[in-house]
Amino acid sequence: MIRRASYTVLSSSSCHFRRRLHQTSLLQSACNLMNTSDVVQPSRSVATSATTLRIMPSTNPNDLAASSHNNIARSQPRLCFSTVATTANASSPSSSNESTSSTNNKKEKDKKDDSNIFLDNLGKIFLSSIGLVLLFLLRSTKSNNSRVALREEMENAALLDPLEIEDLRCANSDFTMEVWNTIVEEIKNEFVARGISSMTYPQFLSLVMRVMKDVKGEGFTVQMGHLMDRVVIAELERRREGNDNAAGHQEGSDELPLSFLLASLSLALNSSVADRIRVLYDSMLIGNEMNNSSSSSSEGQESTNTNTNINDASKEQVEKMIQNLQSTCQLVPDAQIVETNSKVPYQTFRVGTGSELARRAREGYGGKKGSQGVTRDGDGPVTLEDFHAILKSRTVCAWGECYIKKSSRTSTSDR
């Protein structure tokens, strides 16, 4: 009976223990779902208690029930601890997210502190550079177009074409330096000796034709003289317009300076460039001889002082001769173009005067990219060598001589 009673108590305790074990396993499963950490110790302890209960000898049923109850009670705090730990672990992500966000904010702040102005605005700098390059190209194109348009206008308005000048010289192959020197001597005897420095075109032309007939007969004359007439008539019209605008038409205004008439006659001279330059230089010195003769007739003592510079041309005479060559179409159109002071929005150009061309040829222009002066002195008398250098400079370029050694576009600027 006692053995049956012990087995009955043991069976009831086992059933109670199984129910408690089942509840414990359910709690353990819930804990595993809430936290993946290892919480296996209660099951082990329960299993150990169950094993202990199974192995324990059959003693007092009250002792067995008490021991099983103690084992279950001993295992319960461990289950509660794991649940608390799981709850603590579940609340930890919020704190970790806060720490992560604070770290990211700190990194962004460090990046802002380490920013580079050049790298941050690289796109703007690149677009600005492209815009400036395009603006420079547009301005350069407009300036070149303005210069080309002015050159074409000068070429269309030119009285003589370079090919016409070449044909005029070829047609007058008999008009040599010997005939020229004879004409100049006759001019000195008839006009310069009497102090006449200007005359009408018919007077000058009649003297030339008479000398030419005396030298080589009746048939000798200026061939294709209408080309020379065209230049002289245009100059007369220009002077008449100037006189009408200034003080009205005056009697004797059809007279032209002797230097201009000789420059016009040089269009038909068949000679080398050096000889042509020399006869133009001598024609400027005719004025010095005339001044010397007039001063010697009035005051004999002052004639010795005026003879000092008789072999050199003055600055004003050179400027007038270059102006005469410009009026008779003996200068290259491109060399006569000068820059104006208007540089915004683009550079504009105009036609330079004879004095401007002579001054830039003597003094230089444009700095390093321009041209140096061809004379030692920018002001004062000019020798034959200096006059030769002036006419062959890029600023004057008479008869295209500046293109003989080196072909390049001439560019001038206002000083």
Side-chain angles (χ1 to χ4, degrees):
M1 291 296 290
I2 296 172
R3 184 174 295 179
R4 285 183 181 179
S6 63
Y7 280 121
T8 301
V9 173
L10 182 61
S11 298
S12 62
S13 300
S14 297
C15 292
H16 181 72
F17 173 73
R18 288 187 185 129
R19 284 195 299 270
R20 302 287 294 187
L21 183 60
H22 181 68
Q23 293 177 0
T24 304
S25 61
L26 292 176
L27 292 173
Q28 185 65 33
S29 299
C31 292
N32 290 333
L33 291 175
M34 294 178 64
N35 189 8
T36 56
S37 61
D38 293 336
V39 188
V40 192
Q41 293 178 358
S43 61
R44 288 182 182 177
S45 61
V46 173
T48 305
S49 300
T51 305
T52 307
L53 290 174
R54 291 173 185 173
I55 298 173
M56 286 176 59
S58 57
T59 57
N60 190 357
N62 295 326
D63 295 337
L64 292 174
S67 63
S68 61
H69 180 74
N70 292 333
N71 290 331
I72 293 172
R74 195 181 292 115
S75 63
Q76 286 180 354
R78 299 185 67 181
L79 290 173
C80 295
F81 175 77
S82 62
T83 304
V84 173
T86 304
T87 306
N89 290 331
S91 63
S92 61
S94 62
S95 61
S96 62
N97 292 333
E98 292 178 358
S99 61
T100 303
S101 61
S102 62
T103 305
N104 293 333
N105 293 332
K106 185 177 181 180
K107 289 181 179 179
E108 291 178 358
K109 186 176 181 181
D110 294 339
K111 289 182 180 179
K112 291 180 180 179
D113 294 339
D114 296 339
S115 61
N116 192 324
I117 297 178
F118 178 78
L119 295 178
D120 293 343
N121 300 281
L122 186 59
K124 296 179 180 178
I125 294 174
F126 178 75
L127 293 178
S128 300
S129 301
I130 295 298
L132 290 176
V133 171
L134 294 177
L135 183 61
F136 176 78
L137 292 177
L138 178 62
R139 184 177 183 274
S140 178
T141 302
K142 295 287 289 184
S143 299
N144 292 334
N145 292 339
S146 176
R147 184 186 182 91
V148 171
L150 180 59
R151 182 180 61 190
E152 291 178 353
E153 182 181 355
M154 293 175 61
E155 291 174 353
N156 295 330
L159 299 173
L160 294 178
D161 188 82
L163 295 178
E164 292 179 333
I165 297 176
E166 186 67 22
D167 294 340
L168 178 61
R169 291 171 182 167
C170 293
N172 293 276
S173 58
D174 294 335
F175 189 18
T176 59
M177 289 295 300
E178 180 182 359
V179 179
W180 177 274
N181 292 330
T182 305
I183 293 173
V184 171
E185 289 296 329
E186 189 66 21
I187 290 174
K188 290 179 179 179
N189 295 331
E190 279 197 30
F191 296 101
V192 176
R194 294 184 297 170
I196 300 175
S197 59
S198 60
M199 63 190 74
T200 61
Y201 181 61
Q203 291 176 344
F204 175 79
L205 192 59
S206 63
L207 184 145
V208 171
M209 299 298 295
R210 177 167 52 85
V211 173
M212 294 180 72
K213 291 178 181 179
D214 293 341
V215 173
K216 292 187 177 182
E218 293 290 335
F220 185 50
T221 183
V222 178
Q223 302 296 328
M224 299 180 67
H226 63 281
L227 298 178
M228 191 171 65
D229 297 342
R230 188 190 305 169
V231 173
V232 174
I233 293 173
E235 180 66 17
L236 287 172
E237 292 178 353
R238 186 183 67 83
R239 288 175 177 270
R240 288 171 182 172
E241 292 178 358
N243 292 333
D244 292 339
N245 295 331
H249 182 71
Q250 297 178 358
E251 185 178 358
S253 59
D254 289 342
E255 293 184 353
L256 295 172
L258 184 59
S259 60
F260 175 80
L261 294 173
L262 290 175
S264 301
L265 184 61
S266 66
L267 289 170
L269 180 62
N270 189 5
S271 65
S272 62
V273 175
D275 292 338
R276 194 177 301 118
I277 293 174
R278 185 175 61 82
V279 297
L280 292 176
Y281 188 79
D282 292 339
S283 64
M284 291 188 296
L285 298 180
I286 292 176
N288 293 342
E289 294 179 1
M290 184 178 60
N291 293 333
N292 185 30
S293 61
S294 61
S295 62
S296 61
S297 61
S298 60
E299 296 180 1
Q301 294 180 352
E302 294 181 359
S303 62
T304 56
N305 296 330
T306 58
N307 286 334
T308 55
N309 294 328
I310 192 173
N311 294 325
D312 294 335
S314 64
K315 172 185 176 182
E316 291 76 14
Q317 290 174 337
V318 173
E319 292 177 354
K320 289 181 180 179
M321 181 55 67
I322 293 177
Q323 183 67 46
N324 294 334
L325 294 176
Q326 187 179 15
S327 301
T328 55
C329 304
Q330 300 189 55
L331 301 183
V332 177
D334 200 20
Q336 305 175 48
I337 299 175
V338 298
E339 297 178 355
T340 64
N341 294 325
S342 177
K343 301 180 182 297
V344 178
Y346 59 89
Q347 182 65 63
T348 57
F349 301 88
R350 62 179 177 82
V351 181
T353 61
S355 60
E356 291 175 341
L357 300 180
R359 175 167 50 84
R360 274 188 287 272
R362 299 185 65 180
E363 300 177 0
Y365 65 93
K368 295 182 179 179
K369 295 183 179 180
S371 176
Q372 296 181 354
V374 296
T375 60
R376 296 180 180 179
D377 188 9
D379 196 0
V382 179
T383 62
L384 177 60
E385 290 77 11
D386 294 338
F387 185 66
H388 190 278
I390 291 172
L391 293 185
K392 295 185 69 175
S393 64
R394 295 175 57 190
T395 309
V396 179
C397 195
W399 315 295
E401 289 297 312
C402 62
Y403 298 112
I404 299 300
K405 293 183 179 180
K406 181 179 180 181
S407 178
S408 61
R409 186 176 71 87
T410 57
S411 61
T412 56
S413 61
D414 287 344
R415 293 174 59 86

